[in-house]
Amino acid sequence: SVNSAVKKLCNLNLAIHEKYGDIKLTKKGMDVANKIRHMHQTLFKFLNEFLSLNPKDAERDACKIEHVMSSNTFERFLKFIEYIDNSPFFDKERWKASFLNYLDTGEILGDMH
């Protein structure tokens, strides 16, 4: 129930709630929420942009993954995404065209020059 979830957040010092009043996140609660949002956005980007999942499926799966992925794995995952986004050795558009072709045909294209 909502009441038990709010109680749990308050017990973890993530939220403040006065009986029949508003629920407000603490600084610690905001930090946790921002971390989860960042993780979700990163997972969504990978699923949608790199694996070409439609936004609805990418959103659903990002929500599921963010709750089970360790912080160590996420940090490595984040570095991987940053590397792909910024590497001069990786042509994202060329790679994506090749990957989409592979999804459609099962064939890996050779050099795409």
Side-chain angles (χ1 to χ4, degrees):
S1 81
V2 172
N3 287 335
S4 63
V6 170
K7 241 182 226 184
K8 185 175 181 180
L9 290 172
C10 290
N11 289 338
L12 294 170
N13 295 319
L14 298 176
I16 299 169
H17 177 241
E18 292 183 25
K19 197 169 188 173
Y20 305 112
D22 292 336
I23 302 165
K24 295 180 181 172
L25 291 177
T26 62
K27 165 85 170 86
K28 181 180 175 184
M30 285 297 293
D31 290 345
V32 170
N34 288 331
K35 183 179 176 183
I36 292 170
R37 183 178 63 228
H38 178 61
M39 183 182 285
H40 179 86
Q41 290 169 334
T42 302
L43 290 165
F44 175 84
K45 176 180 180 172
F46 180 79
L47 296 171
N48 181 248
E49 292 182 22
F50 289 92
L51 297 186
S52 298
L53 290 175
N54 68 59
K56 182 180 174 186
D57 289 342
E59 181 72 26
R60 181 195 66 230
D61 291 345
C63 280
K64 290 177 183 177
I65 295 168
E66 73 194 30
H67 293 284
V68 296
M69 183 180 272
S70 72
S71 58
N72 186 45
T73 299
F74 177 71
E75 288 304 317
R76 182 66 57 99
F77 186 78
L78 182 59
K79 290 295 183 191
F80 176 75
I81 298 296
E82 288 172 357
Y83 175 80
I84 289 173
D85 275 346
N86 299 307
S87 174
F89 307 108
F90 187 81
D91 184 337
K92 188 170 140 184
E93 294 308 315
R94 220 170 80 186
W95 178 87
K96 187 170 184 177
S98 177
F99 181 65
L100 290 173
N101 179 73
Y102 179 74
L103 289 175
D104 287 342
T105 66
E107 295 178 24
I108 296 175
L109 299 176
D111 190 13
M112 293 181 56
H113 290 293

